[in-house]
Amino acid sequence: MKSEQTTRRLVTSAMLIAVASVLALVSEFIPFLQLRFGGTLTLASMLPIILISYMYGLKWGLGSAAVYAVIQIFMGFKTVAALFTPDSDSYMALWMAICVVLLDYFLAYTSLGLGGIFARKKGGCLRLVLGGVVAQVICYAFHVLSGFLFYGAWADWFFTESAAKDLAISGWIMEHLSGRGLALLYSLIYNALYMLPEIVLTAAVAALIYRIPAVSKNFERR
């Protein structure tokens, strides 16, 4: 019986990881999901990973999320490879490139496995939505940390030469912030441009899915 349950978990998790990967891949080819400052708002591609954690617990969820993180590294191979390629504009020192991959890919996407953090508490749909929000906020935090540590040099360009210069507060920011403070604000804003809409969209889709009786009943049967 136990081996049968384990097999069912493996199959379900594999299917959800596949769905998440397909949603992420398809999103790359939809023009209006590509944000003006870079980054991609996906078709709630993180939700399937959050569902795994909600259904099967944090340990299983983190393991599945780690598998998804590795898949994301391969899916973003062109971007990742550029970090290690001397002729590329994105080239970094080896240790920096490794840290970027760990923060932006492995740790960021593995954190989605925390989506089931509230699964054992009362609240039904709210548990799933809040768990997803927490997991994605942590994912966002890893992206912000990576941007702050390794991409802060882009902050001046972002606020003075890119489309971001049109922001009403850009002038004030450049007058009052510099160095690490400017780099942190840049990373917070840049990553929020795609992660905040992603969090809102994921929460909305999660709430809609949970309201389907057959689906929610299956969630609670885990």
Side-chain angles (χ1 to χ4, degrees):
M1 182 66 177
K2 187 175 181 180
S3 61
E4 186 177 318
Q5 290 179 337
T6 300
T7 300
R8 187 181 299 113
R9 281 191 178 191
L10 284 170
V11 172
T12 302
S13 299
M15 290 176 60
L16 287 172
I17 291 173
V19 170
S21 301
V22 169
L23 288 174
L25 182 61
V26 170
S27 300
E28 294 286 343
F29 295 96
I30 301 178
F32 67 83
L33 294 181
Q34 314 304 310
L35 305 186
R36 64 189 298 193
F37 300 123
T40 301
L41 169 62
T42 75
L43 301 171
S45 65
M46 299 181 185
L47 181 56
I49 309 302
I50 293 169
L51 291 177
I52 294 174
S53 180
Y54 183 83
M55 291 189 293
Y56 301 131
L58 294 182
K59 185 177 179 180
W60 190 279
L62 288 169
S64 299
V67 172
Y68 179 65
V70 173
I71 292 174
Q72 284 297 304
I73 292 175
F74 282 103
M75 289 177 64
F77 180 77
K78 184 177 180 180
T79 300
V80 172
L83 299 173
F84 299 89
T85 305
D87 294 335
S88 168
D89 292 336
S90 301
Y91 177 67
M92 295 181 173
L94 180 62
W95 72 270
M96 294 174 65
I98 292 174
C99 286
V100 168
V101 173
L102 285 174
L103 289 171
D104 268 337
Y105 288 90
F106 190 75
L107 292 177
Y109 290 109
T110 297
S111 66
L112 297 177
L114 296 172
I117 192 170
F118 301 119
R120 300 298 177 183
K121 300 182 182 297
K122 296 180 179 180
C125 177
L126 186 60
R127 295 175 300 176
L128 174 59
V129 171
L130 287 180
V133 169
V134 169
Q136 288 181 295
V137 167
I138 294 173
C139 178
Y140 166 65
F142 279 120
H143 289 313
V144 168
L145 182 60
S146 176
F148 168 64
L149 294 175
F150 302 109
Y151 294 98
W154 289 94
D156 285 341
W157 166 84
F158 184 74
F159 290 114
T160 60
E161 298 180 29
S162 76
K165 69 181 180 181
D166 297 329
L167 294 174
I169 60 172
S170 289
W172 184 92
I173 289 173
M174 293 304 298
E175 289 179 9
H176 293 81
L177 291 177
S178 61
R180 287 300 189 183
L182 186 62
L184 178 58
L185 183 61
Y186 156 70
S187 188
L188 284 167
I189 294 176
Y190 184 90
N191 288 288
L193 289 172
Y194 63 93
M195 278 303 301
L196 291 186
E198 183 86 32
I199 292 172
V200 172
L201 177 62
T202 301
V205 175
L208 288 174
I209 288 177
Y210 199 95
R211 293 184 182 281
I212 301 174
V215 175
S216 60
K217 185 177 182 180
N218 186 59
F219 285 165
E220 303 308 327
R221 191 183 294 168
R222 63 192 182 281

